[in-house]
Amino acid sequence: VPLAEVEEELIALFGGEGVALAEDVLAGLEHLQDAALACAAMVALADGELSERESDVIERVFAPLVPDWRWYLAWDNALQRFREVTPLLVSASFDALRALVGLLTHVTGADGTLSQSEVDMIVAIGDCIGRGTLFRSLLPPVLRTLGEPGLRLDGGTVSLPLAARADDVDAALAAGLAGLARRGGGRVTVRRL
């Protein structure tokens, strides 16, 4: 499927000007640019290679917005940044997440192919930020447009575990200690503590 047709369909599905819509939304939400770039790089790298066309789309969208955009094109760097900015994605608006899904599908379709591993990564990102249902609902029309309606949306085996945040750790410790206090004592291993 030619990229122009993919862009045309994305415009119809997501509104606005396809990737221009994503650029506009992300430009207006400076705090999401790093997150969107990390996600785009992770999706582009999910199949084991970054095609020249995928790299071109990432450059076109992010070079004017994120000075060190090339740094994100290594898997470990993209994953590191994703983990840092996940709280921003968790609190992002529906419109911003819709634009993000549009951008991610545009990046994956840029080379004319869409692999199961790329779809799994998009779904895993959605699941990780608690918006898996939204991401899954936006993907079927894109998969049909790209001629890949048979690709699964179950997320496969991709998992993006996040490190516990300080607030989560504090809350878990407080709850555990409160339970010990209610029971009048107890035992806990050092590892669990």
Side-chain angles (χ1 to χ4, degrees):
V1 176
L3 186 57
E5 288 180 33
V6 173
E7 288 179 345
E8 203 172 282
E9 190 66 27
L10 288 172
I11 290 168
L13 292 171
F14 294 103
E17 297 295 320
V19 170
L21 171 70
E23 290 170 335
D24 292 344
V25 171
L26 295 173
L29 299 170
E30 290 183 25
H31 63 284
L32 285 182
Q33 294 167 358
D34 288 338
L37 175 52
C39 292
M42 289 167 51
V43 169
L45 293 164
D47 62 359
E49 69 173 304
L50 177 67
S51 76
E52 187 176 326
R53 300 214 42 203
E54 289 169 331
S55 179
D56 289 346
V57 169
I58 290 172
E59 181 178 7
R60 188 175 75 215
V61 173
F62 291 103
L65 304 172
V66 181
D68 63 341
W69 67 273
R70 284 183 183 88
W71 178 83
Y72 291 74
L73 300 182
W75 172 259
D76 290 340
N77 296 345
L79 182 60
Q80 173 190 333
R81 189 56 42 89
F82 175 75
R83 288 177 172 160
E84 292 169 3
V85 299
T86 297
L88 298 174
L89 288 171
V90 168
S91 63
S93 70
F94 170 81
D95 289 338
L97 292 175
R98 186 176 65 138
L100 176 61
V101 172
L103 173 67
L104 297 180
T105 57
H106 185 78
V107 168
T108 60
D111 60 2
T113 62
L114 184 62
S115 70
Q116 184 64 57
S117 58
E118 291 169 326
V119 171
D120 288 347
M121 184 58 65
I122 293 172
V123 171
I125 289 168
D127 287 343
C128 188
I129 64 171
R131 297 293 185 85
T133 301
L134 171 64
F135 280 43
R136 283 178 181 85
S137 71
L138 294 171
L139 284 172
V142 175
L143 297 180
R144 282 191 301 275
T145 299
L146 294 173
E148 301 288 351
L151 293 178
R152 299 180 328 272
L153 296 177
D154 62 6
T157 59
V158 176
S159 176
L160 296 172
L162 300 176
R165 293 184 302 261
D167 291 347
D168 297 336
V169 173
D170 291 345
L173 180 59
L177 293 175
L180 287 172
R182 279 192 307 277
R183 292 187 304 276
R187 296 180 66 176
V188 64
T189 63
V190 173
R191 180 177 176 201
R192 177 162 306 268
L193 185 59

